[in-house]
Amino acid sequence: MRKKTDTSITIRLATLLVASMVSLTLAAQAPSPRPKLVVGIVVDGLREDYIDLLKGYFGPDGFRRLMRDGVMLDNVDFGTYVDPAAATAIIYSGASASVNGIPATYVYDNAGRREHSIVLDPEKIGNYTDETYSPKAVRVSTLSDEVRIDGGGIGSVYSIAPQPAQSIILAGHAGNSAFWLNDVTGRWATTTYYKDVPQPIQARNFAKPLPARLDTLAWRPLMKPEQYPDLPAYKKYYPFRHLFQHNDVDRFRNFKTSAPANTEVTDIAAEYIRGLKLGTRGAIDMLNIGYTVCPFAKAKDSDHRLETMDTYLRLDADLARLFQVIDGTVGLGNTFIFLTGTPAAPSDKRDDDRWGIPNGEFSARKAMSLLNVYLMARHGNGEWVSGYHNGHLFLNKELIKQHDLDIREVREDAASFLIRMSGVSGAWTIDDVVAGKAGNNAAALKRNTVADYAGDVIVEVNPGWEIVSINPTSQKEERTTVRTGLISAPAFFLSPDLAADRISAPVDARSIAPTVARVLRIRSPNATELPALPLKRK
């Protein structure tokens, strides 16, 4: 009898031991909980060299937190220069412009001979604005779409950015709302494509409207000029002071490129997190934020280092405040934050002639006129050139068709003429671009060109030269100084699951979206072209 009892006890002990081992194994294999909140931040014009220069001036909880606790990518490569809207589309879709459909913030309508926003959609109505926009031009899904789809509509996706195109691209097709600052009224505006108007935005527009506060706002340096690093002596004696007075018709446009605009965005982001209780639902919530450290539009000269460094320092404080709000609500341990810069825009001011740097002036209007005279001599009277926009020359296709000419031959003829113009270092037809035969970086140029919006001939102007063109819509003169170099920006990932690391090797910008998707354990956007980065886990 005792032997039977001993055997029974042995069996029970063995069963308990096996069960405990299975439980331990299952516990070891169980994945960590997914983030409750994901915060996507895009900073226009962010540069790694400025972050490195100012790291000793940053507080402990902004950029330094990202560098200390997160993964830093020194060089996110976009291939060729892309503006903030196009860069944001690449970051959020994981696809090049030729696939995602967003080549630039503004595109040229050859038939109407005018410029319009890439997100223009006349079928929609503006809310707090007469602008009619939607994400219709984005041809693929984005990270925001995939987050919303993953939660079956339970989770919410919001975006806030000063510029409309960027805000809409950040929100994607499935977002709850996208808000931006209207250039004319200074109100936070949206489109009726999105159904939500969050209470914090309504309160901001009515209780704390920017137009009522902007007259009293003055942007001055945070520190004495001599405390900023690497400033030439003459800059130390002239601290800036920028105002946004009511008699300046461009005051809201200028404000959107200033450091105080980042503070305004941060205020609203904090109100979203607290007021909308983000990260407390049964699915991932997402907040997308657009900041800027681009050269200030009203800087007095081409050396805008003082304003730029001050913008970085102020943004660092804004990030620290944002992270503090997150930690005090949903918790940084329940949040995944990714921050990506976009390539810095070329300066709109060229170096003073006294320095003797080779330069010149490429007039788009003159180029169009000379090319038209040349084509008239070849094919007869008519307006053969119909427009110029961002280095793209557009030919009159109807006239070419009427003369029964081969469009490819006319393009080649035009390119061969333009390449002989003073200041032009390259001229390629759209056919060359699509075939991957244009310039030294042909593959990247092909990726970042959307044929539906491209001109017939693309010209490249010598570095140091100033491009002078007339905006086809406003008829205002626009000037841009050409600079070339590595088209990259830094990026950061901050997650409780990721080990701190710094990657100095160039990383393709199309890798950002699949990497974020892997951390969140959701599908990648449907046009993702590259795999996720192999980041180290804790």
Side-chain angles (χ1 to χ4, degrees):
M1 184 72 181
R2 183 173 179 177
K3 186 175 182 180
K4 184 176 179 182
T5 303
D6 290 346
T7 303
S8 176
I9 291 171
T10 302
I11 291 172
R12 286 177 190 163
L13 287 172
T15 302
L16 287 171
L17 181 61
V18 171
S20 64
M21 290 176 67
V22 170
S23 298
L24 287 170
T25 302
L26 290 174
Q29 292 177 347
S32 59
R34 293 201 301 181
K36 296 179 180 179
L37 174 65
V38 54
V39 178
I41 302 171
V42 177
V43 184
D44 298 342
L46 189 68
R47 290 170 47 174
E48 185 274 334
D49 58 340
Y50 268 102
I51 292 175
D52 190 59
L53 173 68
L54 296 169
K55 62 186 177 184
Y57 294 78
F58 294 146
D61 298 322
F63 279 115
R64 281 169 62 181
R65 180 192 287 272
L66 294 172
M67 298 170 76
R68 179 184 66 243
D69 301 333
V71 180
M72 179 176 180
L73 311 178
D74 286 354
N75 298 305
V76 177
D77 182 16
F78 291 84
T80 63
Y81 173 72
V82 284
D83 73 10
T88 302
I90 293 172
I91 293 165
Y92 270 64
S93 70
S96 53
S98 60
V99 176
N100 67 45
I102 307 296
T105 303
Y106 294 98
V107 293
Y108 185 70
D109 175 9
N110 196 21
R113 302 196 180 188
R114 63 186 182 89
E115 177 189 74
H116 66 77
S117 172
I118 186 64
V119 294
L120 178 69
D121 185 353
E123 295 180 1
K124 302 302 174 184
I125 300 172
N127 198 345
Y128 298 113
T129 178
D130 59 0
E131 299 161 306
T132 57
Y133 297 147
S134 85
K136 181 179 179 180
V138 184
R139 298 173 180 172
V140 298
S141 75
T142 68
L143 282 169
S144 296
D145 296 330
E146 298 298 341
V147 167
R148 192 88 152 77
I149 292 167
D150 179 79
I154 297 175
S156 297
V157 174
Y158 302 100
S159 75
I160 318 153
Q163 304 296 347
Q166 186 175 55
S167 185
I168 288 171
I169 294 166
L170 287 171
H173 304 276
N176 295 74
S177 73
F179 275 85
W180 63 87
L181 273 173
N182 181 268
D183 286 347
V184 178
T185 66
R187 301 273 181 173
W188 285 95
T190 188
T191 163
T192 52
Y193 173 90
Y194 299 108
K195 306 308 178 188
D196 289 9
V197 180
Q199 192 277 333
I201 281 288
Q202 296 190 58
R204 175 72 47 163
N205 274 341
F206 289 104
K208 301 178 184 176
L210 181 63
R213 294 180 281 121
L214 202 53
D215 273 351
T216 60
L217 190 151
W219 176 23
R220 299 181 180 90
L222 277 172
M223 307 184 298
K224 295 178 180 179
E226 59 267 24
Q227 293 179 288
Y228 291 84
D230 293 355
L231 275 182
Y234 83 97
K235 275 288 182 182
K236 298 177 181 180
Y237 300 112
Y238 301 99
F240 63 82
R241 178 172 176 265
H242 297 299
L243 304 174
F244 306 93
Q245 299 295 303
H246 69 277
N247 57 352
D248 181 359
V249 295
D250 291 323
R251 67 175 182 149
F252 297 122
R253 293 184 182 90
N254 295 334
F255 174 77
K256 286 162 65 168
T257 68
S258 72
N262 293 332
T263 301
E264 177 82 2
V265 169
T266 305
D267 289 345
I268 295 175
E271 291 166 9
Y272 268 45
I273 294 167
R274 286 190 292 248
L276 303 178
K277 302 186 183 304
L278 298 185
T280 62
R281 300 168 178 81
I284 299 172
D285 287 328
M286 187 173 193
L287 178 61
N288 300 298
I289 302 169
Y291 288 127
T292 181
V293 290
C294 288
F296 180 52
K298 295 298 284 184
K300 294 181 179 179
D301 57 38
S302 60
D303 189 345
H304 42 69
R305 277 178 285 180
L306 185 54
E307 285 95 337
T308 299
M309 284 191 280
D310 194 74
T311 301
Y312 274 80
L313 295 179
R314 290 176 182 274
L315 178 58
D316 177 66
D318 286 327
L319 289 174
R321 184 160 57 94
L322 177 68
F323 298 162
Q324 184 179 29
V325 171
I326 294 171
D327 205 26
T329 52
V330 63
L332 284 171
N334 297 313
T335 304
F336 173 46
I337 298 169
F338 67 99
L339 183 152
T340 310
T342 69
S347 173
D348 61 352
K349 297 178 176 68
R350 74 182 186 192
D351 293 321
D352 195 292
D353 289 339
R354 62 178 167 155
W355 307 120
I357 306 298
N359 62 47
E361 191 174 278
F362 174 81
S363 168
R365 178 175 286 182
K366 181 179 178 181
M368 289 172 58
S369 178
L370 292 174
L371 178 59
N372 198 68
V373 170
Y374 171 74
L375 292 177
M376 282 197 297
R378 296 268 291 166
H379 306 293
N381 290 336
E383 190 178 21
W384 294 94
V385 185
S386 56
Y388 171 91
H389 188 256
N390 286 347
H392 292 236
L393 280 105
F394 295 79
L395 300 178
N396 187 335
K397 292 181 178 61
E398 288 298 320
L399 187 59
I400 292 170
K401 187 176 180 180
Q402 289 173 16
H403 284 71
D404 197 24
L405 299 172
D406 186 319
I407 183 65
R408 287 175 176 262
E409 291 181 1
V410 178
R411 286 171 179 158
E412 290 172 1
D413 198 16
S416 66
F417 174 82
L418 289 167
I419 193 63
R420 296 193 294 270
M421 286 191 64
S422 181
V424 175
S425 57
W428 306 282
T429 69
I430 184 59
D431 309 298
D432 293 330
V433 173
V434 172
K437 300 177 181 178
N440 296 325
N441 201 359
L445 181 59
K446 177 182 177 180
R447 290 200 311 267
N448 289 340
T449 300
V450 181
D452 289 352
Y453 302 114
D456 293 279
V457 181
I458 296 92
V459 296
E460 182 177 86
V461 177
N462 288 334
W465 278 57
E466 193 172 39
I467 300 174
V468 183
S469 60
I470 303 298
N471 184 292
T473 303
S474 66
Q475 293 302 306
K476 291 183 178 179
E477 183 180 271
E478 296 177 341
R479 290 177 175 266
T480 303
T481 299
V482 179
R483 297 187 71 89
T484 59
L486 182 64
I487 310 300
S488 67
F492 302 87
F493 302 113
L494 183 65
S495 165
D497 289 338
L498 296 176
D501 197 9
R502 184 161 184 171
I503 300 172
S504 296
V507 171
D508 195 301
R510 294 172 292 170
S511 298
I512 300 293
T515 302
V516 172
R518 173 174 286 185
V519 173
L520 297 176
R521 299 203 293 274
I522 63 172
R523 297 186 316 183
S524 290
N526 62 15
T528 299
E529 297 174 352
L530 295 175
L533 298 171
L535 302 181
K536 298 175 184 176
R537 301 275 174 163
K538 288 182 179 177

